[in-house]
Amino acid sequence: MKSNKADQAKHHVLIVDLNNFSRYPTLSVGYLSSILKNNGAEVDVLSPLFFGVHGFPRNVKEPRGYHYLKFLNHIAATSENRLLKFLYDRIKNVRKKDKTILQQTIVSAFREQIRKHKPDIVLISAYTMYFDVTSVIAGICDDHNIPLIIGGNSFVIPEIAEKWSVIRGVTAVFAGEPEAILNRMVDDVLLGNDISHYQGVYEDRGQCNIAKPLESLDSIPYPTFDAFPWCSYPNKIIPIMTGRGCEWGRCSFCSDVLTSAGRNYRSRSLENVISEMKYQRNRHQANLFVLLDLKLNSNLDVWKGLAERISHELPDIKWTASVHVDSRTDNGLSYVDLKKASDAGLVRITTGLESGSQEVLNSMLKGTKLKRVSEFIKTAHAVGLSVRLTCIIGEGNEQADDIKKTTNFLREHEPYIERVVINRFAYIPGTPAFYFQMAPEKAYKNIKLGELDEESGLFKHSNSRYMELKHRIAVFALLRVANTINRKPLIEKAIEFEGAF
């Protein structure tokens, strides 16, 4: 018998946010909440932060000598030595115990929520690492006859969508941007109608029917963050995004341009962005904003317009941004541009250095020149910005000497940088690097791909160069320089964003 709940004036929707960001609310959940509320739904958000489960901050100040621990982790994670692999697995098992405690807390909270306020439907936003806890929640939903829809960036990967779609109690797994069809899909679920025809809903066909990217970003309502546990955040920071995707969109390692909000570049209008910033500032009495664009200078009219408009219309706010030091004649990162942005409240800026070797950057399809990146770093520092860089080691073309070049670049620019993140190269389904490595005539001989790790969404791989003594020495030197940089305190005006960006 079909439910008549969709005919009522209001649905009760529970969104379970398993992303658990520790410094600000989850932007995608904010959008889901506002769209549902605009359709008359009552929306609750269940976040682990409500129950004392601490999220993980990003890139905070490191203690002296922390690079030793990072180096040991690198050796254990990349070694082919059986003993080291055994010890590494044991360490991961210890971490899994902490994860089990977290999951038990979430499940208990979910049971209590169901007991007190049984929702009509549950939506889960999750990373793949939360498969186990989602399975338990789905089982509870099934026991209480509550439909459940799951979404997240990794469900564009068919193998992962398939695994999650067969969990008992899961009504649908969704991939892509749901804003345009969310309310209709929820209505149909509550009416008992089949929703397999909706683009984005996974069907058992071994491939994902990903929802089309939303073209008119100005058409959706501003996200609402009322239901988030504001008292659990160190500071009241509002996440905002001016555009989806990336104007460059070619980096070989990048999976962000393949996921929910990244399949081609689209931008909001400057007027729409400024209007939302005013709205969120007044609604939450907040003056801190994290702009989450992959590359805020994708649309130069918006990037430059923010600096012009904020200084006059929102003079009391502080904000952060990520940019790409691309090779356009005007990439919006001149001294004048950065000075205007700094004067308009920009306090922290991130860019992907990735490597200090131009050859490796070219292999990554980064579209950047080291000389220009150097000029950007020095200019950003000169106008008073806290500079944050990301680096990647282990690209298939990279040699130990290339890592030394990255170390030398960081050492040379150490006075101008306040944080640097070192990541290992990852092979993600759908990225140019993955397809390159899958082609026998092109693949790097030092790289061997293994099976897809459905918990991380990454393909396991080995890189024989990790075993070379000179490579390990180079990695250690890089981590040591990074530790020197990461021990610095942030400049005073950026301190409120420590761990957030």
Side-chain angles (χ1 to χ4, degrees):
M1 183 175 178
K2 294 182 179 180
S3 167
N4 65 355
K5 288 182 178 178
D7 297 324
Q8 299 175 4
K10 184 183 293 184
H11 309 318
H12 181 194
V13 182
L14 174 61
I15 303 177
V16 181
D17 177 22
L18 294 181
N19 300 308
N20 202 32
F21 296 131
S22 64
R23 292 296 188 265
Y24 50 82
T26 305
L27 181 59
S28 59
V29 172
Y31 274 118
L32 295 178
S33 298
S34 64
I35 290 168
L36 291 164
K37 285 185 175 182
N38 276 16
N39 195 42
E42 176 186 352
V43 180
D44 290 325
V45 173
L46 185 66
S47 167
L49 292 174
F50 273 118
F51 312 102
V53 177
H54 299 292
F56 299 99
R58 296 181 178 183
N59 198 210
V60 295
K61 181 180 178 182
E62 291 181 1
R64 182 183 296 274
Y66 193 63
H67 59 289
Y68 287 102
L69 182 60
K70 285 189 172 182
F71 181 67
L72 289 174
N73 181 74
H74 170 76
I75 294 297
T78 60
S79 177
E80 295 299 315
N81 181 280
R82 290 185 179 181
L83 177 59
L84 286 176
K85 291 178 73 172
F86 172 77
L87 293 174
Y88 185 66
D89 289 339
R90 290 296 297 269
I91 292 172
K92 288 199 295 185
N93 287 334
V94 171
R95 291 174 180 171
K96 284 182 179 180
K97 291 180 180 179
D98 294 334
K99 181 179 172 182
T100 300
I101 294 173
L102 180 149
Q103 292 177 347
Q104 291 173 344
T105 303
I106 294 172
V107 169
S108 297
F110 182 78
R111 290 185 188 278
E112 184 65 13
Q113 183 79 13
I114 296 298
R115 187 185 68 80
K116 288 184 176 180
H117 310 286
K118 182 180 178 182
D120 299 320
I121 187 170
V122 172
L123 309 180
I124 293 182
S125 175
Y127 291 129
T128 50
M129 69 181 73
Y130 291 114
F131 178 84
D132 292 340
V133 67
T134 300
S135 298
V136 177
I137 289 175
I140 296 171
C141 288
D142 195 43
D143 293 341
H144 289 80
N145 198 29
I146 301 171
L148 168 65
I149 300 177
I150 300 173
N153 286 348
S154 293
F155 299 119
V156 299
I157 303 172
E159 295 90 339
I160 293 177
E162 167 67 20
K163 179 180 179 180
W164 288 61
S165 69
V166 296
I167 298 173
R168 180 178 73 90
V170 172
T171 305
V173 170
F174 189 90
E177 297 176 57
E179 291 93 342
I181 59 173
L182 179 63
N183 287 320
R184 286 185 285 122
M185 187 166 59
V186 168
D187 287 347
D188 274 343
V189 168
L190 293 176
L191 285 168
N193 295 333
D194 176 43
I195 63 168
S196 62
H197 62 282
Y198 280 102
Q199 194 172 41
V201 173
Y202 178 79
E203 293 185 82
D204 186 15
R205 295 177 181 174
Q207 60 182 7
C208 282
N209 180 28
I210 306 171
K212 291 181 179 179
L214 184 67
E215 292 301 326
S216 178
L217 300 184
D218 284 3
S219 67
I220 54 178
Y222 303 148
T224 178
F225 305 115
D226 297 348
F228 282 87
W230 284 108
C231 60
S232 298
Y233 300 108
N235 300 295
K236 193 177 287 187
I237 300 175
I238 304 293
I240 191 170
M241 189 176 288
T242 76
R244 299 184 181 183
C246 172
E247 172 270 336
W248 177 247
R250 303 174 204 175
C251 297
S252 67
F253 55 85
C254 183
S255 65
D256 288 332
V257 296
L258 304 172
T259 55
S260 297
R263 293 177 303 120
N264 73 39
Y265 177 69
R266 297 140 289 148
S267 178
R268 297 167 63 183
S269 67
L270 175 62
E271 191 62 45
N272 187 255
V273 175
I274 292 291
S275 177
E276 186 196 339
M277 295 179 86
K278 291 178 179 178
Y279 168 81
Q280 301 288 10
R281 179 196 60 177
N282 295 334
R283 184 170 189 86
H284 298 288
Q285 299 301 300
N287 70 338
L288 305 177
F289 288 80
V290 169
L291 275 73
L292 297 177
D293 296 62
L294 297 177
K295 171 186 175 181
L296 188 55
N297 60 326
S298 285
N299 184 329
L300 292 181
D301 290 336
V302 172
W303 162 243
K304 294 185 178 186
L306 285 172
E308 293 284 353
R309 296 280 298 274
I310 289 175
S311 59
H312 300 295
E313 300 177 46
L314 293 151
D316 59 329
I317 75 164
K318 296 180 182 179
W319 49 292
T320 67
S322 291
V323 296
H324 180 213
V325 188
D326 59 65
S327 298
R328 289 176 292 179
T329 302
D330 179 11
N331 60 10
L333 302 177
S334 68
Y335 177 89
V336 172
D337 295 321
L338 292 174
K339 183 66 167 64
K340 284 184 178 180
S342 178
D343 291 344
L346 179 65
V347 298
R348 198 164 191 208
I349 197 162
T350 292
T351 195
L353 168 64
E354 316 313 0
S355 176
S357 165
Q358 189 62 57
E359 183 180 3
V360 172
L361 291 177
N362 295 342
S363 183
M364 289 179 174
L365 307 178
K366 271 291 292 184
T368 57
K369 301 296 182 184
L370 283 171
K371 181 179 178 181
R372 207 166 189 191
V373 175
S374 175
E375 292 171 352
F376 161 77
I377 292 170
K378 293 174 182 177
T379 302
H381 174 78
V383 301
L385 298 178
S386 172
V387 178
R388 177 178 177 267
L389 302 180
T390 60
C391 296
I392 300 174
I393 58 173
E395 192 270 341
N397 195 47
E398 183 183 65
Q399 307 275 353
D401 285 345
D402 295 309
I403 297 178
K404 291 179 182 179
K405 290 178 182 178
T406 304
T407 302
N408 291 336
F409 186 96
L410 292 180
R411 187 177 290 121
E412 178 186 341
H413 294 81
E414 185 270 330
Y416 317 111
I417 308 168
E418 292 193 341
R419 291 291 179 269
V420 59
V421 183
I422 311 294
N423 296 308
R424 278 191 299 276
F425 200 91
Y427 286 89
I428 307 170
T431 59
F434 170 73
Y435 287 125
F436 181 93
Q437 197 58 35
M438 288 293 288
E441 70 280 4
K442 296 181 179 180
Y444 294 116
K445 304 307 179 185
N446 54 300
I447 304 291
K448 291 185 179 179
L449 289 185
E451 298 177 346
L452 176 68
D453 182 347
E454 294 177 343
E455 182 171 328
S456 66
L458 308 176
F459 270 88
K460 297 177 182 178
H461 78 280
S462 62
N463 183 342
S464 61
R465 289 182 184 148
Y466 284 143
M467 304 301 106
E468 298 171 356
L469 178 60
K470 61 182 179 180
H471 193 284
R472 290 179 173 177
I473 292 173
V475 170
F476 179 79
L478 176 62
L479 293 174
R480 182 171 55 190
V481 170
N483 180 246
T484 299
I485 293 171
N486 290 334
R487 293 204 311 269
K488 296 180 182 180
L490 297 185
I491 55 175
E492 185 175 356
K493 65 181 181 181
I495 288 175
E496 292 164 301
F497 291 101
E498 180 77 274
F501 186 83

